[in-house]
Amino acid sequence: MEESWVNTPETPIAGSDPGETAGTDLHLELSGEGSRRAQLADALREAVRSGRLPPGTRLPPYRSLALDLGIARNTAAAAYAELVEEGWLSARQGSGTRVAQRAAVHPDRQRSPQRRNRRRVPHDLMPSSPDAAAFPRTAWLTSARRAVAAAPNDAFGVGDPRGRPELREALTEYLARARGVRAAPDRIMICSGFAHGLGLLGKVLGGTWAVEAYGLAFHRAVLEAAGSRTVPLTVDASGARVEELPERGVRAALLTPAHQFPTGGPLHPQRRVAVIDWARSCGGVLVEDDYDGEFRYDRQPVGAVQGLDPDRVVYIGSVSKSLSPALRLGWMVLPGWLVDDVLAAKGPREMWSGVVDQLTLADFITSGAYDRHLRHMRRHYRRRRDLLVGTLAERTPHIRVGGIAAGLHAVLELPDGTEDTVLRATRRQGLALDGLRSYRHPDSTMAPRDGLVIGYGTPMDHAFPGALDALCLALPDPEEDEKD
């Protein structure tokens, strides 16, 4: 058996022919009886028959394929011609040689797409997801071209675990201007998102962390995986009750001060001051998850708590809501005394965030495209929020809606003891969403609250009204509640 890439005496000398760099790579195994022409034709038939080369696939020019396989050009050309005559391939001037549209496909390959198709939920109202269709593709590509063209050669070497200096400098200016964060480039570290940054801090700080009684179980799991345990802080209309911190005996706290997730609302000003006083008094650290800090609708922006004391607050942000979670880009603004320890935990090389995306985001910010995108998305999400609230007010006025002044989700309050029943009804309507109880810390002493957490960022514009119709059909009727 001879695989591709194996040279033979028939292979032209490297650099002697432009065909050496033309075309695309195609892996074929030449084996069996007969001439090289017969072996190549059999290998191509099998690749098409098995479905590895589906109809419409463009094959490499016969000269480049011959060079890769170490056979004569005439041999490859003759094999191509044979398969065109048999109907396996089609050749047209200007478009090259392709697998014919009517080429036979193995029955198993015909059935496999059906086996792989996963059931899709008609209406996705899961919280915290942005509108993927609104990603600014054109502006992002413009920044990518500009950033790559201007990047120094060392940008394409081994990655710096601190992150590219271009992005750290851009974030220094942006975060100070837009979020009131006090930072310098040498205190910013790029990470692949909030969870990545939180995991690094969990390893460095260790011990027991205070977290909000209602929050993401995933974040609690990240801390536990890093060797830390969590204890809950009561949450009310003013955010986390930080006066409970001293009695918890912790040195680290994780909060969402700009917009408590999932119940909604900013941390009260007095509590913002109180959490800083706690951190100073015990040498503790507040880790600030700036959840939805960019998206506010009915109130003035709430600045970051980090601005009150940069030496006692770690500020973490990302583009997962503002642009896309697919970019895997976030940042930590660290107290100076934590930088070296977190850097050591991250490792000597950047293994998480791609340099090109970092350079692109830096240009996207400095060019003003990020601000323009955020302003556009605020209007977009506010329209979604208003449609949600208006529809519920008209069709289910007995359901109270909260947490709507900012962010990408709302909380629908339900009568006690009805959450499980309503969730089953939403599934029958083809809705994917969360119940409020799923966010409750298992050790919390707060009375469980029944509700639905509705994300309004994900559905396409044309599908959103249908999702709201399905939601209203699933919500309980007040007359039925009275009968119960």
Side-chain angles (χ1 to χ4, degrees):
M1 179 185 295
E2 291 187 51
E3 291 194 1
S4 56
W5 330 131
V6 178
N7 293 325
T8 73
E10 295 178 302
T11 304
I13 298 173
S16 65
D17 194 299
E20 185 177 341
T21 57
T24 56
D25 289 342
L26 175 61
H27 177 78
L28 293 172
E29 294 182 353
L30 303 188
S31 61
E33 303 292 332
S35 65
R36 288 294 184 86
R37 168 182 167 175
Q39 292 176 21
L40 176 56
D42 287 344
L44 285 169
R45 287 190 194 95
E46 179 57 30
V48 174
R49 187 184 296 114
S50 67
R52 187 165 70 85
L53 295 179
T57 300
R58 183 169 184 167
L59 300 184
Y62 72 86
R63 286 190 293 182
S64 65
L65 182 63
L67 185 65
D68 289 341
L69 294 174
I71 61 178
R73 298 177 189 172
N74 290 342
T75 298
Y80 273 23
E82 179 180 337
L83 295 180
V84 168
E85 289 182 8
E86 294 177 0
W88 292 93
L89 305 180
S90 64
R92 185 173 300 175
Q93 186 69 29
S95 63
T97 303
R98 298 177 182 271
V99 177
Q101 291 296 330
R102 296 185 179 181
V105 177
H106 193 279
D108 288 344
R109 289 290 296 186
Q110 290 179 322
R111 290 195 298 267
S112 63
Q114 296 178 2
R115 293 199 301 266
R116 288 196 302 266
N117 284 341
R118 293 181 298 177
R119 181 182 177 187
R120 293 184 177 180
V121 178
H123 305 298
D124 187 354
L125 294 180
M126 294 298 289
S128 304
S129 297
D131 183 354
F135 183 80
R137 303 179 190 218
T138 301
W140 186 259
L141 283 173
T142 298
S143 285
R145 294 189 188 99
R146 193 161 50 219
V148 170
N153 292 336
D154 67 2
F156 303 102
V158 176
D160 185 338
R162 294 171 298 180
R164 285 300 304 173
E166 296 90 343
L167 179 54
R168 290 186 285 120
E169 290 168 5
L171 286 169
T172 297
E173 184 277 332
Y174 171 75
L175 294 174
R177 170 172 53 83
R179 303 296 301 128
V181 172
R182 295 157 57 189
D186 61 358
R187 290 172 64 168
I188 294 179
M189 190 175 300
I190 304 304
C191 52
S192 67
F194 180 84
H196 181 209
L198 182 62
L200 292 172
L201 292 169
K203 292 178 181 179
V204 171
L205 298 175
T208 301
W209 288 52
V211 298
E212 293 159 332
Y214 278 83
L216 283 172
F218 172 61
H219 289 170
R220 298 194 293 266
V222 168
L223 289 173
E224 290 166 5
S228 300
R229 63 180 292 262
T230 62
V231 294
L233 296 174
T234 304
V235 174
D236 59 24
S238 297
R241 296 187 60 177
V242 298
E243 64 269 23
E244 297 175 355
L245 282 168
E247 63 190 63
R248 296 293 188 269
V250 298
R251 294 291 181 88
L254 169 63
L255 302 180
T256 52
H259 187 64
Q260 204 286 322
F261 184 83
T263 62
L267 187 65
H268 191 278
Q270 291 181 354
R271 294 184 181 180
R272 292 161 66 92
V273 173
V275 73
I276 295 298
D277 290 342
W278 161 80
R280 289 172 176 170
S281 66
C282 69
V285 177
L286 166 64
V287 177
E288 180 175 13
D289 178 1
D290 196 26
Y291 172 77
D292 283 344
E294 303 94 347
F295 298 120
R296 71 277 178 182
Y297 313 117
D298 300 328
R299 57 173 167 79
Q300 293 298 313
V302 178
V305 175
Q306 189 267 1
L308 298 177
D309 193 338
D311 288 330
R312 287 294 150 198
V313 181
V314 176
Y315 174 94
I316 308 183
S318 77
V319 298
S320 63
K321 310 295 186 300
S322 59
L323 283 170
S324 168
L327 290 177
R328 307 310 308 148
L329 280 176
W331 47 85
M332 292 182 283
V333 182
L334 299 164
W337 56 272
L338 260 180
V339 171
D340 289 344
D341 288 342
V342 177
L343 191 62
K346 192 178 184 189
R349 297 187 178 189
E350 176 56 71
M351 297 186 293
W352 308 95
S353 301
V355 164
V356 173
D357 282 344
Q358 291 186 51
L359 294 170
T360 302
L361 179 58
D363 183 272
F364 201 69
I365 293 171
T366 57
S367 68
Y370 191 47
D371 285 273
R372 290 191 293 272
H373 173 71
L374 288 176
R375 288 195 296 271
H376 168 72
M377 295 310 296
R378 283 189 203 110
R379 294 191 296 269
H380 176 65
Y381 291 136
R382 179 168 184 162
R383 287 193 294 269
R384 291 274 186 95
R385 190 278 314 258
D386 290 348
L387 181 58
L388 168 67
V389 173
T391 300
L392 293 174
E394 178 182 351
R395 297 177 56 179
T396 58
H398 57 289
I399 299 292
R400 184 179 180 275
V401 184
I404 59 174
L408 300 180
H409 77 279
V411 177
L412 277 57
E413 296 186 8
L414 298 175
D416 291 343
T418 64
E419 183 176 302
D420 289 342
T421 300
V422 175
L423 282 173
R424 287 193 292 270
T426 63
R427 296 188 187 102
R428 289 195 294 270
Q429 293 295 332
L431 289 159
L433 48 78
D434 279 341
L436 185 58
R437 287 183 179 229
S438 65
Y439 293 92
R440 182 175 176 271
H441 194 292
D443 297 332
S444 174
T445 58
M446 292 180 61
R449 295 171 52 185
D450 286 49
L452 300 179
V453 184
I454 308 296
Y456 49 81
T458 302
M460 301 284 283
D461 281 342
H462 71 273
F464 193 47
L468 295 183
D469 286 340
L471 176 63
C472 290
L473 290 173
L475 291 175
D477 188 308
E479 295 181 359
E480 293 180 1
D481 294 340
E482 292 176 3
K483 293 177 182 179
D484 294 340

